[in-house]
Amino acid sequence: MRTSPRCWTRKSTSSPRSRPPRSRRRSTPPWTWNPPGRSTTSTTGTTSGTPPADQRDSYRVLEDVHVMAGPRKRDPVHRLRRILVHSTGNARGQQAARAKRLARAAEDLDKLQRLAGGRYYNTAEKIQARIGVIAKTRRVSDCLRTTVTTGPDQRPRLEWHFDKDILDAQSAADGWYALVTRLTPQQADAAEVFKRYKGQSVVERRYHDFKGPLAVAPVFLEHNRRIAALITVICLALLVFCLIERQVRQALGPEQTMNGLYPDNRKVRPTGRMIFYQLDSLMLRPATATSPPTILISRGVEAHLLELLGIDETRPRWLQT
C-alpha cells in the first residue's frame, strides 16, 4: 500500500516517472521531496547538504556536579553529573534572535518617543502603559530602561536605552545548555553522554514513522485487549520498517547514499518511507505451468533496491513452499 509522505509538495502535473497502468489503484499525484529545514545547496555552489568544514557547528563539553534538593527539608539531596555543552550554532541563533528583538523594540520605542506628548500619548500613564506592551511583546523587559519626564511645555517626554551590562551577560551565556545524567563516569564519559543526547533524533524519527506511515492513530477499537494487540502488530511493522531501511543503508557501504529516489536524481540517504514508496509500483506475474512467479520491474531504482535487499525477482520468497 502506498504511503504518501506528509512533507511532499505538489510541483507539476506531469508524472515524475512512468508506471504501468493499474486499474484497481487510484492514481497518485506527482510529488517532489523538500526536506524540512535543510537546504541542498552549500555556500560553495555544490549540491551537497553538508557545509564546508570551517562553517560547521562545533561543540565544547565540560562536566561538574549538580546538587538537587527536594522542596522539603527531609527530602534527600541528590548529586548528579551535569554536562555543560556549548554549541556555536546555538550561539549564532540566539545572537541573531536577540538582535532582531532589540531592533524591533528600538523601532517601537523611537516611534513612541516621537509621539510622546501628542494626541494619543499626552500623559505619563499612557506612555508607561505603551512601554509595558512593547517590553512584553518584544521580550526586552530585563534590559530596557526608560524614564518619563515633563518638559518645559508641560508635556511628557520619554528617554530610553538598553542596559549594556545585561546584554553582555546574556551574550556570555549564548550557546550554553546543560545535560543532567545518572550515568557514572565509568559507564560514559562527558563526550559519550553528549553523543547519546545527540542521537535522540533517531528515536524521535521512529516515533514519527510510528505516527505517520504506519498510522497508529486514530484507533477505532473499544476493548483494551484489542487495542494492545493492534499496537503490538504496528510495533512489529515498525521493526520490519526499520530493518529494511537498515539493510539498504548497510548494503550501500560507508557513504549510505544512492541516486534515483527523487526526480532530480540527487544522492540521498534512503529512508524506509521512500524505499516502500519506490517499491509500491512493483507487480507480480503469477506462476504458470511453464514459468515460475516473477516480480515485474519497470524502473532501475526498483532493481537496485531489490538487489540491496538481497531479493531475487525471479524467486519471490513469500511464494516458496
Side-chain angles (χ1 to χ4, degrees):
M1 182 177 64
R2 178 179 299 280
T3 57
S4 299
R6 296 178 183 176
C7 56
W8 294 63
T9 55
R10 186 188 296 270
K11 298 296 286 185
S12 64
T13 57
S14 61
S15 177
R17 53 184 176 87
S18 60
R19 270 181 261 155
R22 298 177 66 178
S23 59
R24 292 184 296 176
R25 185 183 59 176
R26 180 168 57 88
S27 60
T28 303
W31 306 96
T32 56
W33 190 69
N34 298 323
R38 178 177 177 181
S39 174
T40 57
T41 304
S42 66
T43 56
T44 57
T46 63
T47 58
S48 173
T50 304
D54 57 343
Q55 298 181 13
R56 298 175 189 172
D57 297 342
S58 59
Y59 299 88
R60 287 184 294 166
V61 179
L62 303 175
E63 181 178 353
D64 66 354
V65 178
H66 177 64
V67 179
M68 182 180 297
R72 297 170 296 186
K73 293 184 178 180
R74 64 176 180 269
D75 292 336
V77 177
H78 300 280
R79 299 176 61 87
L80 302 174
R81 294 178 63 201
R82 181 171 59 181
I83 311 301
L84 301 175
V85 182
H86 180 268
S87 169
T88 56
N90 289 357
R92 286 194 300 268
Q94 292 171 359
Q95 292 169 3
R98 182 171 53 255
K100 189 175 182 180
R101 293 199 314 269
L102 294 177
R104 291 183 175 180
E107 182 180 354
D108 295 341
L109 291 168
D110 287 339
K111 181 179 179 180
L112 179 60
Q113 191 175 39
R114 293 193 302 268
L115 297 178
R119 176 181 177 183
Y120 298 102
Y121 302 101
N122 52 11
T123 64
E125 291 75 13
K126 292 183 178 179
I127 295 177
Q128 290 290 357
R130 181 56 184 167
I131 291 174
V133 172
I134 295 175
K136 182 179 180 180
T137 55
R138 301 307 183 187
R139 294 178 295 171
V140 293
S141 303
D142 52 352
C143 61
L144 178 60
R145 304 292 180 263
T146 60
T147 304
V148 180
T149 59
T150 303
D153 53 358
Q154 300 302 315
R155 293 184 179 182
R157 294 183 178 180
L158 171 64
E159 299 292 336
W160 67 272
H161 69 279
F162 293 125
D163 193 328
K164 187 176 183 303
D165 294 336
I166 298 295
L167 295 179
D168 291 341
Q170 293 178 354
S171 178
D174 286 344
W176 286 98
Y177 59 91
L179 306 176
V180 179
T181 179
R182 293 182 297 177
L183 296 174
T184 63
Q186 291 74 22
Q187 293 174 325
D189 58 5
E192 180 63 24
V193 172
F194 175 67
K195 288 174 60 178
R196 294 189 184 186
Y197 167 75
K198 297 299 288 185
Q200 67 179 348
S201 60
V202 178
V203 179
E204 293 174 353
R205 188 160 63 90
R206 295 312 175 193
Y207 280 113
H208 173 73
D209 295 334
F210 192 68
K211 295 181 291 185
L214 301 181
V216 68
V219 177
F220 300 100
L221 297 174
E222 297 181 359
H223 301 290
N224 292 336
R225 293 182 60 184
R226 293 186 177 182
I227 295 175
L230 176 62
I231 298 299
T232 301
V233 172
I234 295 178
C235 288
L236 293 175
L238 178 63
L239 177 61
V240 175
F241 191 89
C242 301
L243 289 176
I244 289 177
E245 177 184 301
R246 176 175 178 270
Q247 181 172 344
V248 170
R249 290 187 177 183
Q250 287 185 344
L252 287 171
E255 190 176 358
Q256 295 188 354
T257 58
M258 62 176 294
N259 302 92
L261 294 177
Y262 303 112
D264 57 2
N265 203 35
R266 62 179 181 269
K267 300 188 71 173
V268 294
R269 297 181 67 186
T271 62
R273 175 183 294 186
M274 285 310 305
I275 292 171
F276 280 101
Y277 182 84
Q278 296 294 341
L279 297 179
D280 186 39
S281 59
L282 289 176
M283 299 182 65
L284 176 67
R285 184 177 62 192
T288 64
T290 58
S291 62
T294 305
I295 301 174
L296 301 180
I297 300 176
S298 59
R299 297 177 298 116
V301 64
E302 297 173 347
H304 189 195
L305 289 174
L306 292 179
E307 180 183 359
L308 294 174
L309 291 171
I311 298 176
D312 186 1
E313 63 272 12
T314 61
R315 301 179 60 189
R317 296 179 179 178
W318 59 85
L319 294 179
Q320 293 181 356
T321 59

